[in-house]
Amino acid sequence: MPSLCNCNTLKLIAVLLSLILSAPVLAQNCMPADISLATQQSVNDFQQDYGSCDVVTGNLSIVGNDISNLDGLSGLAVVDGNLFISDSPMLASITGLNSLSTVGKDLTLQANNALQTFDGLNSLQSVNGNFFVFRNDALTDFEGLESLNFVGARFYISVNPMLTNVHGLEALSNIGGTLRIWANTSLSNLDGFAGLKSVQGSLEIVSNPSLANLDGFSNLSTVVQDLLIQLNSSLVSIQGLSGLVSEISILAVLSNTALTNLNGLNDLTEVGQLIITNNTKLSDCQGVLKLVDSGIVSISNNQPGCNSVAEILAANPYLINAGLNDAWYNPETNGQGFFIIVFPDIQEIFMAWFTYETERPPTNVEAILGEPGHRWLTAQGPYEDNAAVLYLYNTKGGVFDSPEPAPLSEEIGEIYVEFSSCNSGTVAYEIPDLDLQGEVPIERIALDNVALCEILSVQ
């Protein structure tokens, strides 16, 4: 007689089995907490020796002359303490760490002279402590770290002689401590830092003789402590720092022998100490014009124009500011002149020009109010540095102190205004339909606002 089958029971068992097989595997801690691997065999036997596990709750140290790969660490997801990979001259690949997502404290890769790439750390998202990359003689870039978005403390990249770029770090947006880039002799660009916005410590770029520019820092807006740029003999541009707007404790630009200007530092408004010295080709220091009257200043041994605060101020292209708001005229044409108003928030100038008809009207022509030959023109437009291009308007059709009829403004030409100081400038005009063009030297009618203007011109 055939045995009876409880089909419902079998179905229930099948469902439970499928749930068990599909359920996520719970994290398993490796034992003991701190683990040191000193041979390739100890790496290969990792799961056998320390349990079927994916979390090192303490520190993991990998140091060994014969260690050539880390395949035995496949499946390791978290190191809660420090991960130290050092002095392993045969280590050519770290692909065994392809499941690692978090290092709870420090990550150090040091003196691994066969390691060329970070391929194998593709899942790593955060290093919550320091990230040290020292003396890896074959390392060429940071490819493999595309998921890394946070370093909690210091990030040091130092003495890696074959490192040509830092591609692979594009997802990194915030560094909780100092970013130090020191003595990487082949490093030519920093474009891999394109996503970096904030450095909560100092930014130190020192002794990288192949580095030509800092364009990789184009999105960096905050450096909390010091900015040090020193001994980068091929550095010709720091324009990549133009997004930097934070207040800095010490700004030091030292012994960069190819650097000719400091453009890129223009938006910095305050430093505790400013040091610009021994940059043998540096002749344009207008990038630190706003900083020379703040904190402690040391400027010397650069090219003429950058050897003192006085030289920098003397080379300053005069900056238009609201201290120019006043009545201006040419003493040779007394009885006519200009009212000038500067609007810094919108970077525009408004000008009213009180002048006369190009020829005197006949003596029998009369006006109800005023004088028939009198003319009033207006101009408005944007300014930059010490000059502005303004559109010139003639307004007509109105009646004294009345809304009707509505006046009409007609564009009739252009005005170019340039200031050479707080009390001198030139107005150049062109009115094409009348074939009129010329220049008018101008100065203030009164000097009351000159002191304010001189203060604002370097702010």
Side-chain angles (χ1 to χ4, degrees), residues 144-273:
L145 286 171
E146 287 79 5
S147 298
L148 182 66
N149 57 55
F150 176 71
V151 174
R154 295 169 292 172
F155 188 5
Y156 288 1
I157 304 171
S158 302
V159 199
N160 302 285
M162 299 301 293
L163 186 70
T164 60
N165 63 76
V166 291
H167 293 161
L169 294 172
E170 286 79 4
L172 183 62
S173 62
N174 184 42
I175 296 173
T178 291
L179 173 58
R180 175 177 292 174
I181 305 170
W182 279 33
N184 303 285
T185 54
S186 300
L187 185 63
S188 61
N189 74 76
L190 300 171
D191 294 350
F193 283 117
L196 186 62
K197 298 178 181 179
S198 173
V199 175
Q200 295 300 305
S202 300
L203 175 58
E204 302 174 1
I205 306 165
V206 179
S207 297
N208 303 285
S210 300
L211 188 63
N213 62 68
L214 305 183
D215 293 352
F217 291 126
S218 58
N219 288 310
L220 181 64
S221 62
T222 301
V223 172
V224 172
Q225 295 178 1
D226 304 336
L227 174 58
L228 174 61
I229 305 170
Q230 182 177 7
L231 290 167
N232 304 287
S233 57
S234 296
L235 188 66
V236 296
S237 171
I238 58 174
Q239 188 66 46
L241 296 174
S242 59
L244 199 58
V245 295
S246 57
E247 296 180 3
I248 289 175
S249 298
I250 299 174
L251 169 59
V253 182
L254 310 171
S255 303
N256 302 283
T257 54
L259 191 63
T260 60
N261 68 74
L262 298 180
N263 297 337
L265 302 176
N266 308 66
D267 288 335
L268 289 175
T269 57
E270 186 173 343
V271 296
Q273 185 173 0

Side-chain angles (χ1 to χ4, degrees), residues 347-393:
Q347 289 279 295
E348 289 200 356
I349 288 180
F350 174 81
M351 174 186 290
W353 187 358
F354 296 92
T355 185
Y356 295 92
E357 177 63 278
T358 57
E359 296 181 1
R360 290 300 305 159
T363 56
N364 62 347
V365 174
E366 296 183 358
I368 297 174
L369 177 66
E371 199 276 336
H374 196 193
R375 294 292 179 267
W376 174 31
L377 306 176
T378 60
Q380 187 167 345
Y383 67 85
E384 183 176 356
D385 294 332
N386 67 328
V389 177
L390 314 178
Y391 295 105
L392 182 64
Y393 297 92

Side-chain angles (χ1 to χ4, degrees), residues 13 21 32 44 75 86 123 129 135 174 203 209 247 258 265 276 286-287 299 310 340 347 356 396 425:
I13 292 172
L21 293 175
N44 297 342
S86 177
S123 298
R135 295 189 295 110
N174 184 42
L203 175 58
E247 296 180 3
L265 302 176
I276 310 291
Q286 295 306 302
I299 301 174
I340 295 174
Q347 289 279 295
Y356 295 92
K396 57 186 178 180

Side-chain angles (χ1 to χ4, degrees), residues 28 45 81 102 121 170-171 176 216 236 283 291 338 362 367 383 394 406 434:
Q28 297 292 319
D45 294 342
T102 303
L121 286 174
E170 286 79 4
V236 296
S283 59
L291 305 175
F338 304 86
Y383 67 85
N394 180 27
L434 300 179

